[in-house]
Amino acid sequence: MIASHMPADRPANRLPAGQVRSIPWFALFLLALGCVGFAAAWTAVAMLSGAQCAWMAPLAALDAAWLLRLGGAKPGIARMWLGISATLVTIVLANWSIVAANLAGMMGLDFLGSALRLGPSLAWTLSGLANGLAELAWMAAAVVLAAIASR
């Protein structure tokens, strides 16, 4: 009876236009993998160079935007916010990992042991000491770039 009231141009088993998923699961999987992978690469570059390497933050924003497009996410506000969120997660993960890697050597722990024992207060304090105004500017530019590139 309900099927007789459906318009002929839309099958009864399709979702209404407002309920169409604009972000596929594959895009979210790629984005999570990209955040972790890019944070690991950022940490490796920072450990090899002995600096914070905040110039990698805009590259993380471009990586997040590219992965969302590669995963088939439709343009719009949801994709933009996912790009911004992924960029922020990558920045936090990279800074956490850099602090953990530096502390691991000093405390005689392996990287994973140091990263799991590192608390948010100590990570915030040490990241604040390591990141100057230039690094914070790179990170802020990355968030703006993520918003523009992920639209």
Side-chain angles (χ1 to χ4, degrees), residues 83-93 139 143:
I84 291 171
S85 300
T87 302
L88 290 172
V89 165
T90 304
I91 289 170
V92 169
L93 275 175
M139 293 176 201
V143 172

Side-chain angles (χ1 to χ4, degrees), residues 3-4 7 11 14 40 50-51 66 68 77-78 82-83 94 100 103 105 107-110 126 134 136 141 143 148:
S4 64
R14 288 189 62 190
W66 180 70
L68 282 169
I77 208 89
L82 273 174
L103 284 178
M107 296 172 62
L109 296 170
D110 61 338
L126 294 178
L136 295 176
V143 172
I148 293 169

Side-chain angles (χ1 to χ4, degrees), residues 45-114:
V45 170
M47 294 312 296
L48 290 172
S49 69
Q52 286 296 98
C53 300
W55 53 266
M56 289 191 71
L59 298 177
L62 292 175
D63 182 55
W66 180 70
L67 288 174
L68 282 169
R69 290 170 195 235
L70 183 68
K74 293 183 178 160
I77 208 89
R79 189 170 84 177
M80 181 187 75
W81 281 111
L82 273 174
I84 291 171
S85 300
T87 302
L88 290 172
V89 165
T90 304
I91 289 170
V92 169
L93 275 175
N95 278 286
W96 187 284
S97 298
I98 292 168
V99 169
N102 283 315
L103 284 178
M106 289 185 261
M107 296 172 62
L109 296 170
D110 61 338
F111 171 74
L112 188 59
S114 176

